[in-house]
Amino acid sequence: MVRTVYSPEYCLQYLEQYASQEVYVIGLILGQVTNSRENVIHLARTPEEKTDTSSEASYTSEKPEARRSLLGISETWVADHAKHVTRMLPGGMFVQGIFITSDEDIFEDPNFYSKVKSVLNYTYKSLNANQYMCGNYPDSNEKLILHMCTSTKVLTCKSIELGTGSKMSIKPVDWKFLPKPQQWQRLDCYYEFDDVYPVVVKKSGISVKHQFQQILESAHKTIESSVMFIDGELKDGSEALEQLHKKKKLKNSTKSSQDAPKSMHVSLFVPFENCLPETVEYLECDGNIHFSGVVASSVFMYPKATVSEAISAVKQDIIRSLASRFTMHCDALIDDNLLPEEKVCFNEPPRRVLVPVGSLYLCDYLFPGEAPAEALLSVKELLDLQITEADVVCDIETPADTSEFDALDRDTSSEELLATPQEASQFMYITGICFAMLVLIVSIFIHYYDGIATCLGNFFSRA
């Protein structure tokens, strides 16, 4: 059976735009794979690589005429572009492959074909190295290669199975362009974090990146164990999203002539037994990290996708968003280590904003003090799109409220409000002792209750 891929018609116009210029272009195919259908949402040209190695020279929007040939492309550069774009994708959407416009037949020329395989292999090894960014990826190693010849304008799409050595199987793909925009089912979720994590100071100080990694691992376990409710109800995982929409529309039609809401509200609940660790270890910590805030999640699914696929996408979106913010925040730090004598340190990762791409939204992140105009630059460089500042949705997450921290920082007696390492460890030990005493009291009560019940049972049986 031939693999079929659906994409909006503007993707064809996008390819023809570069093919008509008779220039070589390479870029990423962005899309979503479900059991019901595979949809491509956008094609994003990989920016021209700069020779400048400074930190400011990451990407540029220079004209693509500077490129000479596919053979000169850097695998690292394409992989880096894929990592940056993946941060902008909501859960359930991934980099599906690469597209190329060139005059050469990349499938017939062994040199070009070898280069394409090398670029794909390196890109996906780089992406798969970060499970939090690319987790829940569909169980398939087949990646897309879309090619348009600049001279004939002939479009060819094939899939290559990676990880099979030099004998990679190549299969034809039927690429279909949709004249009408694809309809999507939107799922919105607001997930709140309010957790405290211990900090142990080593001789080299505290690594912010290491602490964030521990928070991310803990959050991943918690979210994966959570149960998802859609519009306040627990749904059957095999049911299609469009069926839920139809049922709600039919239910609301008896009360109002208006259609059902375009988006579905998602709530994640963590089972109580999963909130407690299997074993409790008491250690002397030198401080703590209070991780608090709300992650706004907006996921777009093909309407025929199942509830189980939507659950996986929402959970993956929250984790991907956290991983993206932590990575960006750590990259922006001048020094990754916090000195042990620093009693209070406030870290504010970037907040999420939405940017329109076709009939759905992708996302970007703004650091404190950055204006929406900063998102326009990212969208232009990474997605090769022109949008206006008014198109950026900035109100899904509000900036962090630092008033409490500022007041604490200004207070000369603020050190008295902070527990010393000894006080923190004592509190942890006291908590453990109180819990043990509670367990002991309950055990004694149950023991004596069973004894009394046995005596009463014997008494009544004899009576």
Side-chain angles (χ1 to χ4, degrees):
M1 184 175 180
V2 178
R3 181 178 177 182
T4 304
V5 176
Y6 298 85
S7 75
E9 196 170 28
Y10 78 82
C11 289
L12 176 60
Q13 301 168 357
Y14 183 81
L15 291 170
E16 291 175 341
Q17 167 192 343
Y18 286 112
S20 62
Q21 300 174 16
E22 297 185 352
V23 295
Y24 152 74
V25 168
I26 187 171
L28 306 176
I29 302 172
L30 314 179
Q32 180 180 93
V33 179
T34 63
N35 291 330
S36 54
R37 198 163 86 170
E38 181 172 358
N39 291 288
V40 168
I41 62 169
H42 185 61
L43 303 178
R45 178 181 66 90
T46 298
E48 182 69 21
E49 185 176 6
K50 271 190 175 181
T51 55
D52 188 354
T53 58
S54 65
S55 59
E56 296 295 329
S58 56
Y59 288 99
T60 176
S61 56
E62 292 179 358
K63 294 183 179 180
E65 284 81 352
R67 284 206 185 96
R68 295 290 181 252
S69 169
L70 171 65
L71 299 178
I73 193 67
S74 168
E75 289 89 344
T76 306
W77 187 252
V78 178
D80 198 40
H81 181 216
K83 287 191 291 186
H84 281 80
V85 169
T86 300
R87 294 177 187 172
M88 306 178 74
L89 297 177
M93 295 188 179
F94 303 89
V95 176
Q96 297 295 100
I98 60 175
F99 74 89
I100 299 168
T101 64
S102 67
D103 194 34
E104 301 85 3
D105 190 336
I106 62 174
F107 298 109
E108 295 296 333
D109 190 303
N111 293 327
F112 287 101
Y113 182 55
S114 177
K115 185 65 175 182
V116 169
K117 292 191 298 182
S118 176
V119 171
L120 279 175
N121 266 320
Y122 192 93
T123 298
Y124 283 97
K125 283 182 180 179
S126 178
L127 290 176
N128 293 333
N130 190 334
Q131 61 169 326
Y132 301 120
M133 290 290 292
C134 301
N136 299 334
Y137 193 88
D139 297 330
S140 175
N141 290 328
E142 292 187 3
K143 309 306 174 187
L144 298 174
I145 302 176
L146 181 65
H147 177 256
M148 175 171 279
C149 180
T150 55
S151 58
T152 64
K153 306 300 185 294
V154 174
L155 191 67
T156 306
C157 184
K158 296 185 179 182
S159 65
I160 292 182
E161 185 176 1
L162 303 181
T164 56
S166 58
K167 297 181 180 180
M168 292 183 178
S169 60
I170 184 168
K171 302 177 183 178
V173 175
D174 185 12
W175 190 293
K176 295 184 178 181
F177 294 97
L178 302 174
K180 296 181 180 180
Q182 169 66 54
Q183 298 297 317
W184 298 93
Q185 178 59 59
R186 177 171 175 170
L187 298 98
D188 293 323
C189 177
Y190 291 90
Y191 190 87
E192 183 175 3
F193 290 91
D194 191 14
D195 302 297
V196 178
Y197 299 89
V199 174
V200 178
V201 179
K202 299 180 180 180
K203 292 182 179 180
S204 58
I206 306 173
S207 170
V208 178
K209 186 175 182 179
H210 177 70
Q211 296 296 332
F212 280 171
Q213 186 68 18
Q214 290 183 331
I215 293 175
L216 196 57
E217 292 175 0
S218 176
H220 179 256
K221 292 179 181 179
T222 301
I223 292 175
E224 284 299 320
S225 67
S226 63
V227 179
M228 190 174 96
F229 286 70
I230 298 180
D231 291 333
E233 297 179 357
L234 186 62
K235 305 295 185 180
D236 183 5
S238 61
E239 194 169 7
L241 294 176
E242 66 176 1
Q243 294 299 323
L244 302 183
H245 184 82
K246 290 178 180 179
K247 288 180 180 179
K248 189 167 186 178
K249 185 176 180 180
L250 181 62
K251 182 179 179 180
N252 292 348
S253 63
T254 59
K255 301 178 181 180
S256 173
S257 59
Q258 296 180 353
D259 290 340
K262 293 182 180 180
S263 65
M264 295 180 176
H265 179 69
V266 174
S267 303
L268 295 180
F269 295 92
V270 181
F272 179 73
E273 60 270 17
N274 291 334
C275 298
L276 301 177
E278 297 180 359
T279 58
V280 179
E281 297 181 0
Y282 300 100
L283 68 157
E284 291 192 13
C285 59
D286 301 291
N288 64 74
I289 292 180
H290 184 193
F291 181 60
S292 178
V294 177
V295 172
S297 170
S298 291
V299 169
F300 297 84
M301 300 294 298
Y302 179 58
K304 293 185 182 296
T306 63
V307 171
S308 296
E309 290 172 329
I311 291 175
S312 179
V314 171
K315 291 181 178 181
Q316 202 254 335
D317 182 71
I318 298 173
I319 293 299
R320 177 183 285 175
S321 180
L322 284 180
S324 301
R325 299 174 207 238
F326 288 168
T327 301
M328 295 175 67
H329 181 71
C330 291
D331 290 344
L333 292 176
I334 299 177
D335 186 4
D336 181 56
N337 290 327
L338 296 176
L339 299 178
E341 57 267 19
E342 294 183 5
K343 292 184 177 294
V344 180
C345 181
F346 182 82
N347 287 270
E348 185 181 353
R351 63 189 178 96
R352 197 177 209 176
V353 296
L354 299 181
V355 292
V357 176
S359 57
L360 49 77
Y361 285 89
L362 304 190
C363 70
D364 196 15
Y365 297 93
L366 298 181
F367 282 94
E370 287 187 338
E374 298 292 334
L376 306 185
L377 181 61
S378 299
V379 171
K380 173 57 180 175
E381 291 178 343
L382 299 175
L383 300 178
D384 197 21
L385 277 176
Q386 291 280 8
I387 62 173
T388 64
E389 191 170 341
D391 295 328
V392 182
V393 181
C394 300
D395 58 353
I396 60 168
E397 290 182 352
T398 57
D401 183 9
T402 62
S403 58
E404 182 178 353
F405 173 80
D406 294 338
L408 181 63
D409 192 40
R410 288 193 302 267
D411 191 352
T412 56
S413 61
S414 62
E415 294 184 4
E416 299 177 2
L417 301 177
L418 300 175
T420 62
Q422 293 77 11
E423 292 171 340
S425 62
Q426 287 173 2
F427 174 77
M428 294 180 68
Y429 280 116
I430 291 173
T431 303
I433 293 173
C434 292
F435 180 74
M437 292 180 63
L438 177 62
V439 173
L440 178 62
I441 294 173
V442 173
S443 300
I444 294 174
F445 174 77
I446 293 176
H447 175 75
Y448 279 99
Y449 176 81
D450 290 341
I452 294 172
T454 302
C455 293
L456 290 176
N458 294 334
F459 174 77
F460 282 113
S461 63
R462 288 196 297 270

